[in-house]
């Protein structure tokens, strides 16, 4: 493969990983990142913000030799979800088969680890350099530092890995036949914290993702290595019950006393967190094409920003890198063919995970508290454990089956929904759910998948 000078705008999660893939192929890679070096300037006041890393992301990390390091050094496996009712009753639901887990990792920690590795492998990262303009014909770009000084950088190829509000994409948006949509959902989010207990212990089950489902909103908590939990309240931005209506910390506190009493008891810094942490928006961004002139390409959130409810945004961005790498094997120096194949292959998968993520919000906030839904899950899990080759629940396809494309998973999930509706309408299903009769019916229906 012919060595290229490749620039990447954005040293976030996806830009950093992409640089490792490109450097591995012998390309000369430079990243231009708008923010200062997080390794020197602790961002977010040192707050832990974590993400769920699952098999698609791990598969992509494995190919650049980082899977084990990440799992060993910074991941806390979460084997299932623990639902907290208003009365404080707990219900546990495993995510997959025994031993299968999603992993809570620090966003900043993972990003810094990948930047360190990238530099070790020859990638040059320039900080405080915001992409301000791009020439889509020849992959050159203008970067601006904090003092407003600009520099022009020429390259053979430019990747926009600069996130949901990508500057590179904003230039592409001005070109003919570029489709773009941006949708803010009704809900936003706020981060809160459950610190470690007095003896440095976890105050909730460590190896689980905690959910307080409350119908139209929910609170979740993911564990951190320091025994704290980062909690996120997903909540309407406006309306009768919303961030706008809880406009004083006293109102927020009495709301939590009613809705999330057990969580509030573990939040000594609730008042501070509520007031200081922003109400952040959630946006879905779709666009196409993702590449221009075989010179400029979008990747990660720059091309597909989704809501966080399937824990797949970063995983999908990592999968972009993994797919691109496979296509580099197939296409060699034919970057035109390669980039075309990349956008054509990835777009349906990005659309599928965007839809799945929105749908999972309803499942998490509403259905995880619904006995009917929990029974359906129980039947599916039991059946798929006995007949793994005949049935894999949608969650497992998305989270634990990177060999299945998101677009295939969503299609299969739709057919499974129809079949499960039949099962759930069987007489006395609540009593007979584990009977041979139900199993036989499942076997017959699974043949139709
Ligand atoms: P980003 O992480 O946004 O990185 C973009 C980088 O580009 C940043 O470093 C930014 O400073 C830089 N940049 C921006 N503009 C410019 C410019 N003009 N010039 C140069 N640099 C620029 N995903 C999961 O897989 N699992 C989860 O559990 C999960 N939880 C989430 C929870 C929340 C609340 C949210 C909001 C998202 C969550 N996600 C999760 C999604 C995940 O955060 C994103 O998909 C992921 O960060 C995308 O990575 P990226 O590198 O494409 O973009």
């Amino acid at each position: 493969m012919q060595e290229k000078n490749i620039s990447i705008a954005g040293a976030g999660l996806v830009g950093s990983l992409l640089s490792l893939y490109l450097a591995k192929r012998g390309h000369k890679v430079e990243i231009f990142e708008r923010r200062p070096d997080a390794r020197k300037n602790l961002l977010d006041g040192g707050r832990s913000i974590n993400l769920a890393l699952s098999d698609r992301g791990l598969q992509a990390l494995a190919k650049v030799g980082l899977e084990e390091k990440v799992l060993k050094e910074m991941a806390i496996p979460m084997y299932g979800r623990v639902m907290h009712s208003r009365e404080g009753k707990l219900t546990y639901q495993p995510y997959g088969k025994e031993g299968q887990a999603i992993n809570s990792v620090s966003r900043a920690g993972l990003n810094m680890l990948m930047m360190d590795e990238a530099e070790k492998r020859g990638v040059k990262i320039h900080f405080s350099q915001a992409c301000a303009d791009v020439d889509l014909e020849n992959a050159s770009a203008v970067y601006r530092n904090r003092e407003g000084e600009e520099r022009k950088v020429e390259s053979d190829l430019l990747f926009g890995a600069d996130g949901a509000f990508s500057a590179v994409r904003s230039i592409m948006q001005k070109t003919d036949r570029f489709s773009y949509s941006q949708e803010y959902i009704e809900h936003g989010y706020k981060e809160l914290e459950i610190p470690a207990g007095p003896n440095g212990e976890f105050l909730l089950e460590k190896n689980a993702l905690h959910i307080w489902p409350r119908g139209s909103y929910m609170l979740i908590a993911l564990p951190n290595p320091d025994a704290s939990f980062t909690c996120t309240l997903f909540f309407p931005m406006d309306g009768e019950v919303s961030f706008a209506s809880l406009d004083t910390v006293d109102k927020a506190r009495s709301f939590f006393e009613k809705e999330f009493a057990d969580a509030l008891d573990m939040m000594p810094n609730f008042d501070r967190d509520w007031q200081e942490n922003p109400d952040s928006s959630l946006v879905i961004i779709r666009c196409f094409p993702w590449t221009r002139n075989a010179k400029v390409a979008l990747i990660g959130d720059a091309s597909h920003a989704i809501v966080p409810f399937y824990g797949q945004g970063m995983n999908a961005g990592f999968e972009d890198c993994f797919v691109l790498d496979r296509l580099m094997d197939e296409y060699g120096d034919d970057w035109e063919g390669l980039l075309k194949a990349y956008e054509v292959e990835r777009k349906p998968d990005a659309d599928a995970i965007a839809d799945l993520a929105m749908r999972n919000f309803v499942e998490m906030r509403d259905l995880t508290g619904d006995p009917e839904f929990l029974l359906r899950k129980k039947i599916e899990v039991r059946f798929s454990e006995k007949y793994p080759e005949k049935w894999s629940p949608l969650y497992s396809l998305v989270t634990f089956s990177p060999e299945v494309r998101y677009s295939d998973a969503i299609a299969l999930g739709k057919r499974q929904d129809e079949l499960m509706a039949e099962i759930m309408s069987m007489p006395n299903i609540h009593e007979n759910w584990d009977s041979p009769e139900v199993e036989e019916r499942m076997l017959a229906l699974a043949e139709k998948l």
Side-chain angles (χ1 to χ4, degrees):
M1 198 178 220
Q2 201 189 334
E3 188 187 311
K4 296 254 180 203
N5 287 325
I6 303 182
S7 299
I8 301 174
L13 294 166
V14 176
S16 304
L17 181 62
L18 175 65
S19 76
L20 287 162
Y21 271 98
L22 296 170
K24 194 176 74 155
R25 300 249 167 200
H27 299 300
K28 184 169 165 284
V29 186
E30 291 191 78
I31 313 186
F32 297 84
E33 164 59 46
R34 184 179 59 186
R35 291 183 296 188
D37 190 347
R39 294 164 298 181
K40 296 188 186 128
N41 313 276
L42 208 54
L43 296 173
D44 302 317
R47 270 192 306 141
S48 322
I49 296 183
N50 44 28
L51 306 133
L53 169 66
S54 52
D55 287 25
R56 289 175 202 269
L58 287 169
Q59 167 179 265
L61 287 169
K63 210 146 181 215
V64 290
L66 289 183
E67 180 194 19
E68 261 180 49
K69 194 174 165 72
V70 168
L71 284 178
K72 205 165 125 219
E73 289 180 12
M74 59 174 64
I76 300 182
M78 300 179 288
Y79 296 99
R81 45 193 182 194
V82 173
M83 275 79 76
H84 297 240
S85 77
R86 275 195 186 83
E87 297 71 37
K89 187 174 155 261
L90 307 187
T91 316
Y92 179 76
Q93 190 187 42
Y95 272 130
K97 292 181 218 140
E98 211 177 320
Q100 279 183 327
I102 59 175
N103 301 281
S104 177
V105 296
S106 148
R107 171 190 286 274
L110 178 59
N111 206 160
M112 291 193 265
L113 181 147
M114 288 192 294
M115 288 196 286
D116 284 345
E117 286 297 324
E119 285 178 342
K120 272 190 222 157
R121 299 179 200 185
V123 173
K124 175 102 186 83
I125 311 178
H126 307 267
F127 291 95
S128 302
Q129 297 284 322
C131 178
D133 197 12
V134 177
D135 185 334
L136 299 171
E137 297 290 328
N138 60 22
S140 67
V142 174
Y143 297 96
R144 194 175 292 144
N145 69 13
R146 305 235 141 181
E147 288 72 46
E149 291 156 1
E150 293 188 344
R151 67 200 275 204
K152 190 169 176 189
V153 177
E154 311 277 350
S155 47
D156 299 320
L157 202 66
L158 167 69
F159 281 94
D162 49 348
F165 297 98
S166 166
V168 178
R169 189 190 62 231
S170 73
I171 306 293
M172 288 165 86
Q173 275 169 239
K174 292 177 194 142
T175 59
D176 191 35
R177 298 200 58 72
F178 187 88
S179 299
Y180 170 73
S181 75
Q182 168 180 309
E183 180 196 349
Y184 282 96
I185 66 163
E186 184 195 340
H187 291 69
Y189 69 96
K190 188 191 272 295
E191 265 140 3
L192 301 163
E193 189 207 14
I194 295 179
N199 302 312
E201 75 278 23
F202 284 91
L203 291 178
L204 295 168
E205 164 57 45
K206 170 188 176 186
N207 292 111
L209 190 152
H210 294 262
I211 310 182
W212 289 257
R214 295 293 182 265
S216 60
Y217 48 86
M218 67 176 177
L219 179 73
I220 66 166
L222 273 74
N224 297 310
D226 66 359
S228 66
F229 285 83
T230 304
C231 305
T232 311
L233 173 67
F234 292 102
F235 207 53
M237 291 297 264
D238 292 299
E240 209 172 309
V241 181
S242 67
F243 284 123
S245 75
L246 300 183
D247 54 359
T248 65
V249 71
D250 289 340
K251 284 188 199 166
R253 177 172 273 285
S254 54
F255 180 78
F256 264 65
E257 274 161 7
K258 273 204 314 273
E259 297 293 319
F260 308 113
D262 59 339
L264 182 65
D265 284 345
M266 293 176 275
M267 293 178 174
N269 303 319
F270 177 83
D271 291 5
R272 181 202 68 192
D273 288 350
W274 187 268
Q275 286 168 302
E276 288 182 6
N277 296 346
D279 308 340
S280 304
S281 303
L282 290 170
V283 69
I284 304 169
I285 288 173
R286 298 174 199 257
C287 66
F288 201 76
W290 294 356
T291 72
R292 277 289 189 230
N293 310 321
K295 286 282 181 189
V296 179
L298 302 174
I299 194 159
D301 274 19
S303 44
H304 48 77
I306 64 175
V307 289
F309 306 113
Y310 229 118
Q312 285 294 318
M314 165 189 65
N315 287 289
F318 283 8
E319 195 175 63
D320 289 345
C321 300
F322 185 81
V323 168
L324 202 61
D325 187 66
R326 168 167 53 71
L327 294 171
M328 286 186 222
D329 283 335
E330 282 174 34
Y331 283 83
D333 289 325
D334 173 14
W335 279 94
E336 190 171 353
L338 189 165
L339 292 177
K340 262 280 145 277
Y342 156 72
E343 64 181 6
V344 167
E345 176 170 339
R346 287 304 285 163
K347 173 67 174 159
D349 291 333
D351 284 342
I353 192 59
D355 292 344
L356 284 165
M358 204 51 221
R359 222 185 285 168
N360 212 43
F361 187 24
V362 178
E363 174 168 329
M364 284 176 88
R365 71 184 198 205
D366 212 354
L367 301 178
T368 48
D370 173 2
E372 216 44 32
F373 170 80
L374 293 175
L375 177 63
R376 182 196 143 154
K377 287 276 163 188
K378 222 155 63 173
I379 297 172
E380 271 191 278
V381 166
R382 182 171 182 274
F383 187 75
S384 70
E385 272 171 2
K386 200 157 172 193
Y387 301 102
E389 71 294 346
K390 291 190 189 296
W391 193 284
S392 191
L394 178 60
Y395 187 87
S396 297
L397 291 171
V398 171
T399 308
F400 302 122
S401 313
E403 68 287 357
V404 178
R405 293 178 57 172
Y406 288 129
S407 50
D408 289 337
I410 201 171
L412 194 56
K414 218 181 223 164
R415 295 202 295 281
Q416 288 179 343
D417 278 349
E418 288 160 15
L419 304 186
M420 283 312 291
E422 275 194 45
I423 296 289
M424 294 304 287
S425 67
M426 286 175 77
N428 302 324
I429 187 70
H430 289 264
E431 292 78 47
N432 300 338
W433 69 273
D434 56 353
S435 66
E437 192 194 344
V438 170
E439 186 174 316
E440 261 168 48
R441 189 85 192 107
M442 285 285 289
L443 274 169
L445 290 174
E447 291 306 317
K448 295 190 195 168
L449 279 177

